[in-house]
Amino acid sequence: MSRRVVAHPILGDLIEEEVIEFEFEGLKLKALKSDTIASALISNGIDIFGFSESGKPKGFFCAIGKCSSCLVVVDGVPNVRACITPVRDGMRVERQKGKGKPVW
Amino acid sequence: MVKKVQALVIGAGPAGLCGSIAIAENGVEVLVVDEGLVPGGQLPKQTHKFFGHEGFFASVRGFEIGEKLYNDAVNLGVKFLMKTTVSGIYEDVIVLYDRENERIYEINADYVLIATGASERFISFKKNYLPGVYGAGAVQTLMNQYRVLPGNDFLIVGAGNIGLIVAYQLLQAGANVKAIVEASNKVGGYLVHANKVKRMGVPILLRHTIVEAIGEERVRGAVISEVDDSFNPIKGTEKELAVDTICLAVGLQPSIELAAQAGAEIKYIPELGGYVPIRDENMKTTVDNVYIAGDLASIEEASTAMIEGYIAGYNIAQKITGLDLSENISKMKKELEEFRRGPFSGKVRKGLKKFGVEFPEGGFRTEPQKDEGPAGKLRVKIECPQNIPCNPCETSCPTGAIDVGGNINGLPYVDYDKCIGCGVCVMKCPGLAIFLVQELSDYSIVGIPYEFELPEKGEKVLLLDRNGEIVGEGEIEKIVRNSKGKTHIVYLKVPKGLEDNVRHFVRHEEKEEEIVCRCEEITRSEIEKAIEEGYTDFEELRRYLRISMGPCGGRVCRLQTLSIISLKTGIPISELESGRFRPPSIPIPFKAILKGDEKDEI
Ligand SMILES: Cc1cc2nc3c(=O)[nH]c(=O)nc-3n(C[C@H](O)[C@H](O)[C@H](O)COP(=O)(O)OP(=O)(O)OC[C@H]3O[C@@H](n4cnc5c(N)ncnc54)[C@H](O)[C@@H]3O)c2cc1C
Ligand code: SF4
Ligand code: SF4
Ligand code: FES
């Protein structure tokens, strides 16, 4: 299922843009260049971004960087807010489990 | 090294942008810092037209307002640092974190305008942590800025303006909205917003709340229930809805952290949204060089956020330059006063009064117009029953036929002698609350504001009333495209007598376009031909064509058939014989009938 809003009565048709590839939990996924990690995951039908300390599934909530509900691990670095971080070609994204240890 | 700026604005929403414009207009250097990816705050995700008056972009869509204000600011030399969070305000320094370059900056500013807006509230219900439970603003950000829908079938919690707007925007993006639940006994948002979704068939369930999200890994449904007078769920009234997304629109709370760090006194004033910084009528906090504006100061709307931004900005510019800007300041204060006179500002007026900032109320027309105009003339029908701060109907009409009676909160009246039925106001009204009607001898015309994929001229459509119920069938008579404003007018040919009911339509699905009676597969042209042959009565048609003899019992085809008769004969549906309603009204298996014989209890 594609969740892209391709045609829109107000915003017009989605302008063709560069498609990039990133990795999520070992899967190769496609995204648009203008996507955040969150929008890229959602457009691929993925709503579970991680798990809480006690194992509850977590997704995004505010989408503007305020609630930290969307934390993921990017290229090995935890606590990245998926909703305000642009996705990049070749990026490796993983679900974060629990708090995630800081990387120095 | 600590960089120094004359004026720092935190937040590039409407309040911060207008503040920066007011400061830069007077030759002062301004830096705007915002943590978002694009400037505009809440504006870039708003695809609907805003209320207010033209001076503050009424009738312009939110995302376009954001672009316009940003360009104005850039042209005045305002500097922007996006993707940068103000992470702390200390006594001697302000710390910024640039996410993209992973850098910390330290700056100092002579004056600070804090316009950090608000964040969305959360409410508790079982399993509210599940992916699929999202804030309304988040859903908007995804669908309107990133063009992805986080689900297909939505439940919206909260019938304030935000919940209503998100529902409408979801429909525009192609999603289904199963229901809007609202705990109180009335719609909190503007009725014109509510009407837009009601006529498309979205139920607004008052005195209802969500009690549980269903699902293991993500939302697969929701349990809603009725609530009592103290908003507690009533046991036994639970209902399950098959939805995959639950969208919370239960209010906003001011983002006060930075204002508090700057030393501004904070007070709990529920009418203003919770904890807010205290400020005077010039938007100055209890700290001399710290000003605030917008949702941070009180949860309100974009026009007042803009005006407050200007007031704060002119005051800062005046302090820095020593110029006398009192004229600009009092002009903006007057604007604010006019906006805040209405009933929807009641809470804000009450809240502000608690720290001595007073705004007058009333002074606008409250009596709705009774005169509906001369039947037979193409004229407007305005359905805008509340005192909301809005007047594009008045300012857009080329013949001056509409007025709101002075204050912007007044109810609009039409001078039917002046109205030429041109439709300009229909396209401009942000409430999509103006329709065109004309009663003709054989049928009537209803012109409706329409912001969805356009139908074809001549297409047969199902007519919907104000609650989204099918009331008959009609035909697209004419379409007036509005390529710039995107609110088009679709003129419908409707059966006589329905001009006062029809407020929307749905298109037949392509395949079923011509089939009126699905059970017996009878097409429109067969019915039309039969009418031409003289079968102009529903019962006659039924016997002749077997129409409505199928298992649906006429549910689907009766009104459509009556509409076709009405359109062809010019007789209003109300005066047509509707035919007999024969039992059984749904197909019942013989087994059930036999079983019924065995035992008589239910
Ligand atoms: C769904 C929805 C629909 C709405 N519809 C309407 C409408 O039809 N008409 C209307 O008039 N109003 C409407 N509003 C309200 C209107 O959008 C707000 O009142 C208005 O945006 C408030 O402006 P603001 O500048 O105070 O805050 P915002 O627009 O919220 O901007 C605040 C900015 O501050 C930034 N920020 C916050 N903290 C920091 C920090 N620490 N560091 C850096 N930057 C920071 C944020 O990134 C944001 O860009 C709607 C609001 C919502 C949510
Ligand atoms: S239809 Fe035209 S003339 Fe009539 S009120 Fe609207 S804008 Fe004015
Ligand atoms: S009818 Fe006039 S006042 Fe009412 S929403 Fe439309 S433009 Fe605004
Ligand atoms: S969803 Fe709230 S911080 Fe990302």
Side-chain angles (χ1 to χ4, degrees), chain B residues 286-352:
Chain B
T286 50
V287 180
D288 261 343
N289 61 347
V290 177
Y291 287 72
I292 57 170
D295 277 356
L296 164 64
S298 52
I299 302 298
E300 229 173 326
E301 36 124 44
S303 359
T304 49
M306 286 186 250
I307 304 173
E308 287 186 345
Y310 278 114
I311 294 176
Y314 285 130
N315 273 286
I316 291 174
Q318 180 165 272
K319 290 259 179 67
I320 293 177
T321 60
L323 295 169
D324 175 14
L325 299 176
S326 54
E327 221 171 277
N328 303 45
I329 297 169
S330 46
K331 184 169 158 260
M332 287 298 161
K333 283 185 182 165
K334 187 88 199 127
E335 288 276 3
L336 202 51
E337 200 179 294
E338 290 303 295
F339 268 93
R340 284 202 178 128
R341 281 178 178 273
F344 283 91
S345 297
K347 263 165 74 179
V348 168
R349 282 196 304 268
K350 196 169 152 211
L352 292 177

Side-chain angles (χ1 to χ4, degrees), chain A residues 1-15 17 32 34-52 55-67 69 77 80-86 95, chain B residues 35-37 42 45 47 61 63 83 85 97 99-100 116 118-122 129-139 141-152 169 172-174 216-218 244 248 255 451-453 485-488:
Chain A
M1 171 196 66
S2 169
R3 289 161 154 190
R4 281 286 166 200
V5 182
V6 179
H8 193 285
I10 306 298
L11 297 168
D13 290 346
L14 191 60
I15 302 160
E17 55 171 312
L32 299 181
S34 61
D35 271 325
T36 59
I37 300 174
S39 66
L41 291 177
I42 294 292
S43 74
N44 281 287
I46 293 163
D47 324 273
I48 304 168
F49 290 15
F51 296 93
S52 69
K56 292 194 177 80
K58 291 177 78 172
F60 72 95
F61 178 72
C62 73
I64 50 166
K66 300 252 185 217
C67 72
S69 161
V77 181
V80 175
R81 284 172 291 178
C83 68
I84 51 166
T85 307
R95 292 194 167 114
Chain B
E35 64 182 355
L37 293 168
Q42 302 290 334
K45 58 179 122 167
T47 51
R61 297 184 189 275
F63 68 98
K83 301 182 213 174
T85 304
Y97 168 60
R99 212 165 56 234
E100 200 166 34
T116 44
S119 61
E120 289 185 86
R121 287 177 192 275
F122 197 54
Y129 58 82
L130 279 182
V133 178
Y134 302 136
V139 169
T141 303
L142 281 166
M143 77 176 157
N144 295 336
Q145 283 182 264
Y146 297 102
R147 306 282 295 254
V148 287
L149 275 173
N152 296 316
Q169 293 180 351
Q172 284 181 318
E216 287 311 315
E217 295 221 292
R218 75 167 326 284
D244 57 17
L248 302 183
S255 300
E451 298 185 330
F452 293 85
E453 196 192 323
K486 300 278 192 322
T487 308
H488 315 285

